[in-house]
Amino acid sequence: MLLQIEALRKSFRDPDGETLPVVDVPAFSLDEGEQVGLRGTSGSGKTTFLHCIAGILRADAGSIRFDGEDLSRWPEARRDRFRARHIGYVYQSFHLLPGYTALENVLVGMMFGEGIDRARAVRTLESLGLGSRLDHRPRQLSIGQQQRVALARALVNRPRLLLADEPTGNLDPAHAGTALERIRESCREVGAALLIVSHDPALLAGFERVEEWSVLNRAFDHAAGAGAPEGGADA
Amino acid sequence: MKGLLLLVSKSIREHALSSWVTIVSIGLGCGLTMAIMVITSQAERTFSQGDVGFDAVLGARGSALQLVLNTVFHLETSPGNIPWSLYRQVAADPRIAHAIPYAVGDNYRGYRIVGTVPELFSEVEVREGERFRFRAGGRVFHPDRMEAIVGSTVAQESGLRVSSTLNPYHGIEFDESARHDEQYTVVGVLEPTNSPSDRVIWIPIEGIFRMGGHVLRGSGDDFRATEVETIPDEHKEVSAVMLEFADPNAGFSLDQLINKQGKVATLAWPIGASLAEIFRKLGWIVRVLELVAVLVVLVAAGTILASITNTMRERRREFAILRALGARRRTVFAAILLESTTLALLGAVVGFAVHAGIVLAAASLVRAETGVVLTLADAHPALLLVPLGVTTLGALAGVIPARSAYGTDVANTLAG
């Protein structure tokens, strides 16, 4: 078992000071190399869930065991190191650094993990068809190319788990399927498990395992009703 | 570290304009501060403590400072003359090793002409262990001939060389119409001494006495020397007498005798003390300049703070992305500190260039005006302390934006 989550809870304070439960997941698990789709409406706490798994947010309660170790109890600096080495993360808006070239964006992705390896960064970009775009800045790339740079940055450290938050949300339907297949294939190549979040049922149709967020998350009604922030604040 | 350097270099290049403005303003402040400190200290040391070859100057009653400026630095006008008899009297004093008379009042195209005796070149050390040296083919003038010796700067700038001839001009300022008829032949060119003497033309003191139009008033009556007549000593007078003591206590006793009890002459002793008076009087100007320079440095440090803080809004997202990629809080903190320190360090490097430019310009000006040489190769503590202080100040200026970066809320910023 790569990832095992039990009784995970995360809540935020709303502007009135009231506690707003956003994530309440009794159990969730993911095997090594497994690919899972998580389907749910926008603003229902999915991103918060991914942030907790990545160690960006600290859970209020429960455990997140990664390879048997409970990272929810770790201090922030250790969670940062863990994220750098074992987690790849692809965001809907890609979050590329605008002043950096495609290659530099990938190199930055390596800085906090195993260390900068320019040759590997180049190979990763080439494998995604970006060999001729190494020195291009994000604004000089198409949306699809930007998405591939983000994917390269997420996979270059050979993570054990790739978290993808609406990764095709900015692509038109014609390209979304191809992009998703590229993500899945890339994960297989590096042996990473994949947890992908999407509100689009059609997109996740090809997954053997798709979890319904509304079923998985007992706080779904609270979160969706209050319109939980994307990712939320670290309360 | 490699990663941090990538982040810092990217940021500096991304904000190239504000980075360069910051670097240049730090460089100006840093260079200005170093230059002011180095130039004032070096000038004070060179003027006040420099070895000028003599212990004291005896001259007309009046300002010791004017006397020193006129005889040692060949600036200003002479405060007046003293009778030849006084010169003979001190020259015969056993406490005096050497007494060299100077007579001034003429120039050659702006270069001062000083009448003196051959012993200046044969017996006196221009500074500890170093006498005047002649370039090949040169020699000391004959005291009774119309011969001249020129300093190295005069030779270089005017083209005068051995066997060249020159006609003195009356007064210390060059006036084409005040040309004397007497013609002197150059018999020696001196090697550079890096002292005011390099800008002087030396002739026999007898020549000054006999120069057409000169009036000697040693006896109180006017006396005009003719070409052949021997000048009686009572008519002779000199502008000053340069003294080198044989007895280290001579200064104190002569000071008592001449300055405190006498009324005819002034003894400038020690020479450096008279010049130090200038620096004491002008010290406030130096302090003001230093204060201005320090303020420039502080403003430059403020520029670092402002330039980084101004970019924080757009960079907050960058820090959130870095944190999401696994950067620790202290890493982004260190990146900002390293950036501000780098800007300050580059500013300090520019500061060295600014310092070199100012010192070279000042040195050229001082040398042209006084013959005194200021040098870049002067290991002043300011050259270490100012860049170190500026760099530390730069690092401190980075703390505020660094703390802001440290506190970046990853989830909220990425969602925003």
Side-chain angles (χ1 to χ4, degrees):
Chain A
M1 189 76 66
L2 178 68
L3 179 70
Q4 189 164 22
I5 291 171
E6 287 175 5
L8 181 70
R9 284 185 192 169
K10 180 69 185 172
S11 54
F12 298 112
R13 289 200 185 281
D14 67 14
D16 299 327
E18 296 292 319
T19 300
L20 173 69
V22 174
V23 174
D24 183 357
V25 175
F28 178 79
S29 62
L30 195 63
D31 279 331
E32 196 91 43
E34 188 181 6
Q35 299 194 342
V36 176
L38 188 58
R39 186 169 57 216
T41 53
S42 297
S44 57
K46 301 188 299 300
T47 300
T48 301
F49 182 57
L50 295 190
H51 278 356
C52 287
I53 294 172
I56 292 172
L57 290 175
R58 185 171 198 155
D60 298 336
S63 65
I64 304 170
R65 294 188 182 282
F66 192 92
D67 258 353
E69 286 203 73
D70 186 2
L71 65 95
S72 65
R73 300 285 159 254
W74 291 350
E76 186 182 64
R78 191 173 174 193
R79 296 200 310 269
D80 292 337
R81 275 201 303 277
F82 157 79
R83 182 166 65 253
R85 288 179 187 163
H86 301 300
I87 303 288
Y89 209 140
V90 178
Y91 303 86
Q92 177 177 352
S93 50
F94 315 135
H95 289 320
L96 297 177
L97 295 167
Y100 292 59
T101 64
L103 178 59
E104 286 167 343
N105 264 285
V106 177
L107 291 175
V108 166
M110 304 176 93
M111 270 173 51
F112 314 108
E114 293 178 5
I116 289 178
D117 180 343
R118 191 184 170 87
R120 181 142 60 89
V122 171
R123 277 201 307 276
T124 307
L125 283 164
E126 283 173 346
S127 71
L128 290 166
L130 292 168
S132 60
R133 296 287 186 272
L134 300 181
D135 296 325
H136 287 56
R137 293 189 178 202
R139 66 168 180 276
Q140 298 169 309
L141 299 171
S142 69
I143 298 293
Q145 287 169 334
Q146 289 181 35
Q147 202 248 14
R148 278 183 274 162
V149 174
L151 181 60
R153 185 179 65 184
L155 292 175
V156 74
N157 286 323
R158 291 187 282 249
R160 307 274 306 281
L161 171 63
L162 180 74
L163 302 172
D165 190 0
E166 304 277 9
T168 60
N170 278 350
L171 302 178
D172 58 67
H175 289 94
T178 316
L180 181 64
E181 195 44 50
R182 186 182 299 115
I183 291 172
R184 298 189 68 181
E185 183 55 34
S186 298
C187 283
R188 282 186 208 104
E189 282 171 11
V190 299
L194 171 66
L195 176 58
I196 188 167
V197 159
S198 176
H199 66 279
D200 183 0
L203 196 73
L204 301 177
F207 281 75
E208 290 176 10
R209 181 182 160 201
V210 176
E211 298 281 353
E212 285 295 335
W213 182 237
S214 58
V215 176
L216 193 64
N217 182 18
R218 291 199 302 211
F220 178 82
D221 291 338
H222 287 283
E230 298 260 350
D234 197 354
Chain B
M1 193 63 192
K2 196 174 166 187
L4 278 182
L5 289 176
L6 172 68
L7 296 177
V8 169
S9 71
K10 286 301 292 186
S11 174
I12 289 177
R13 273 184 285 165
E14 273 295 291
H15 311 102
L17 181 62
S18 68
S19 296
W20 275 110
V21 168
T22 305
I23 289 168
V24 169
S25 52
I26 292 170
L28 285 175
C30 184
L32 203 58
T33 310
M34 289 192 291
I36 289 170
M37 289 180 167
V38 167
I39 290 170
T40 52
S41 137
Q42 209 179 131
E44 190 167 352
R45 195 172 65 240
T46 312
F47 280 91
S48 313
Q49 298 158 26
D51 185 357
V52 294
F54 294 100
D55 297 311
V57 185
L58 179 67
R61 193 72 178 169
S63 158
L65 175 60
Q66 188 183 354
L67 188 60
V68 171
L69 286 175
N70 185 248
T71 54
V72 176
F73 293 95
H74 305 288
L75 299 168
E76 280 279 349
T77 53
S78 165
N81 292 332
I82 54 172
W84 182 261
S85 56
L86 186 55
Y87 154 59
R88 294 309 311 163
Q89 194 184 326
V90 292
D93 192 316
R95 292 169 297 183
I96 307 295
H98 296 108
I100 305 292
Y102 279 4
V104 299
D106 289 310
N107 77 92
Y108 172 71
R109 300 193 176 278
Y111 300 106
R112 299 209 175 191
I113 292 176
V114 177
T116 188
V117 292
E119 288 77 14
L120 173 66
F121 303 97
S122 57
E123 293 180 16
V124 173
E125 291 182 342
V126 63
R127 58 174 66 90
E128 185 80 37
E130 186 184 335
R131 291 210 165 120
F132 282 110
R133 286 179 296 117
F134 287 92
R135 287 188 183 160
R139 62 168 174 80
V140 181
F141 53 64
H142 188 286
D144 297 325
R145 291 186 197 147
M146 292 170 76
E147 294 177 341
I149 294 168
V150 299
S152 60
T153 307
V154 180
Q156 184 190 336
E157 293 178 359
S158 69
L160 289 173
R161 62 192 67 178
V162 172
S163 80
S164 298
T165 57
L166 63 97
N167 286 76
Y169 292 80
H170 191 68
I172 54 171
E173 300 292 339
F174 176 54
D175 175 1
E176 191 89 49
S177 65
R179 184 171 179 265
H180 284 295
D181 294 331
E182 288 81 0
Q183 190 173 66
Y184 284 77
T185 304
V186 176
V187 296
V189 174
L190 296 170
E191 292 285 3
T193 60
N194 291 334
S195 75
S197 300
D198 292 344
R199 303 185 61 79
V200 173
I201 297 173
W202 310 88
I203 63 170
I205 198 164
E206 194 76 11
I208 297 284
F209 295 155
R210 293 181 184 280
M211 200 79 75
H214 282 192
V215 179
L216 299 175
R217 297 189 182 90
S219 65
D221 299 325
D222 288 2
F223 179 86
R224 291 172 195 275
T226 60
E227 206 171 303
V228 289
E229 182 187 13
T230 304
I231 306 170
D233 281 356
E234 72 260 29
H235 292 300
K236 293 179 184 173
E237 54 183 353
V238 296
S239 305
V241 182
M242 310 302 289
L243 301 176
E244 190 184 332
F245 298 145
D247 174 0
N249 297 318
F252 183 75
S253 51
L254 286 174
D255 180 46
Q256 285 291 323
L257 187 70
I258 297 169
N259 292 335
K260 309 276 190 319
Q261 296 161 17
K263 290 179 179 167
V264 221
T266 292
L267 183 78
W269 172 84
I271 291 175
S274 306
L275 287 162
E277 186 63 22
I278 300 184
F279 289 93
R280 268 198 297 279
K281 283 178 180 166
L282 299 181
W284 66 272
I285 297 180
V286 175
R287 297 289 95 76
V288 168
L289 286 173
E290 283 174 355
L291 183 67
V292 169
V294 168
L295 284 176
V296 173
V297 170
L298 287 176
V299 169
T303 314
I304 294 184
L305 175 63
S307 76
I308 297 181
T309 306
N310 284 342
T311 62
M312 284 305 287
R313 191 182 170 84
E314 61 182 90
R315 292 173 72 185
R316 198 168 298 285
R317 186 168 162 273
E318 176 183 325
F319 294 132
I321 293 170
L322 294 175
R323 294 269 293 111
L325 290 171
R328 278 175 272 178
R329 287 185 191 274
R330 70 180 190 205
T331 306
V332 292
F333 184 90
I336 296 289
L337 269 198
L338 186 61
E339 181 175 333
S340 66
T341 309
T342 304
L343 288 173
L345 203 59
L346 290 172
V349 172
V350 171
F352 275 105
V354 172
H355 159 259
I358 295 175
V359 170
L360 287 176
S364 159
L365 196 68
V366 170
R367 183 163 195 174
E369 290 297 318
T370 68
V372 169
V373 176
L374 301 181
T375 171
L376 250 187
D378 184 37
H380 191 281
L383 296 177
L384 176 68
L385 295 177
V386 173
L388 206 63
V390 164
T391 308
T392 308
L393 208 57
L396 289 176
V399 168
I400 295 172
R403 281 190 60 182
S404 167
Y406 183 90
T408 300
D409 183 325
V410 181
N412 250 349
T413 310
L414 290 182

